[in-house]
Amino acid sequence: MNWNEIQNFLSNIVFGVLLLAMISYWINLSFFSEKSFLLKFGQANTIFANILLFFILCSRWIVAGYFPLSNLYESLLFLTWTLLTVYLYIEIKTNSRLIGAILIPITLLINGFANLTLSPEMQKSSPLVPALQSNWLMLHVSMMLLSYGTLIMGSLLSILFLVISKNKEIDLQLNQNSSVPLYNVMLEYYETKIISPSTTISELGKLKLLQSLDNWSYRIIG
């Protein structure tokens, strides 16, 4: 087994780990359990997948002798790693589980496309063409993919805002407390909606959720 096969095997492991993380986040979100075993299991899988991707990228850099952004396969792996890294940072800052339940499926799709769709020849490291033999490759492409990652996250939250609001005009000035973690707001909204028959209380929780989504989406994109 050569080094390319080992890297592809590790990348397939990342796909399986992200699949387990996605299932864990979705089940945890469905049961509204903030400190369950599934939540910790999903977080551990996400961190493990991030470490594996970092190892794959670093190993390709060492073996090939250049920053691993020379082809589509390496760019997709770097984008997946960027999304997971930014997500883990935001999760620590916001204590939100909602972002993970939305973002992990996207990283799973990107990683699955790279591993299952691209041919083995496209996944191999190849010598750089003279036009790419520059230090600007690492600076320009890495910053570009980092901006892609943050844009994807902000866009996903914006789409969730449109889905929950049903594309209606919402007055977000009714509720001024937008610093509450997304997960806690979502938990409060749905628990209130299930337990309480009051439409007014349910709509107030919905406004709080929408304001938090609006707040975090433009913060991430900005």
Side-chain angles (χ1 to χ4, degrees), residues 37 96 110 143 175 183-184 191 204-205:
F37 166 77
S96 171
I110 296 175
M143 291 298 101
N175 177 43
Y183 180 85
N184 295 337
E191 279 189 338
L204 180 60

Side-chain angles (χ1 to χ4, degrees), residues 35-162:
K35 298 182 179 180
S36 67
F37 166 77
L38 286 175
L39 173 60
K40 296 180 180 179
F41 182 72
Q43 289 177 328
N45 282 332
T46 305
I47 295 174
F48 180 62
N50 198 41
I51 294 174
L52 276 181
L53 283 171
F54 181 77
F55 174 76
I56 293 172
L57 292 171
C58 288
S59 63
R60 292 179 76 95
W61 191 355
I62 295 173
V63 172
Y66 59 84
F67 197 66
L69 289 174
S70 64
N71 55 36
L72 178 60
Y73 178 73
E74 293 174 346
S75 298
L76 291 175
L77 291 184
F78 187 82
L79 178 60
T80 305
W81 176 78
T82 301
L83 284 170
L84 291 177
T85 302
V86 174
Y87 155 67
L88 289 172
Y89 172 78
I90 293 176
E91 184 180 71
I92 293 174
K93 290 294 184 179
T94 65
N95 194 29
S96 171
R97 309 298 179 258
L98 177 60
I99 301 178
I102 300 172
L103 183 67
I104 297 300
I106 303 300
T107 60
L108 183 66
L109 288 175
I110 296 175
N111 186 263
F113 176 80
N115 292 325
L116 305 177
T117 304
L118 300 181
S119 64
E121 291 299 324
M122 295 183 65
Q123 298 180 13
K124 292 182 180 179
S125 299
S126 57
L128 286 174
V129 297
L132 295 178
Q133 294 177 3
S134 170
N135 292 329
W136 287 105
L137 171 68
M138 178 174 63
L139 180 62
H140 172 70
V141 181
S142 60
M143 291 298 101
M144 180 183 68
L145 290 176
L146 178 61
S147 64
Y148 284 172
T150 53
L151 179 61
I152 288 173
M153 294 189 65
S155 300
L156 288 173
L157 293 179
S158 300
I159 293 173
L160 182 61
F161 178 93
L162 293 175

Side-chain angles (χ1 to χ4, degrees), residues 10-31:
L10 293 177
S11 187
N12 290 331
I13 292 179
V14 170
F15 179 82
V17 170
L18 288 177
L19 180 61
L20 291 176
M22 181 188 71
I23 295 173
S24 300
Y25 273 103
W26 281 5
I27 295 176
N28 176 75
L29 202 62
S30 300
F31 290 151

Side-chain angles (χ1 to χ4, degrees), residues 159-166 189-190 206 209-210 213:
I159 293 173
L160 182 61
F161 178 93
L162 293 175
V163 171
I164 295 177
S165 64
K166 298 180 181 179
Y189 165 55
Y190 281 105
K206 181 178 179 179
L209 175 59
L210 289 174
L213 288 173

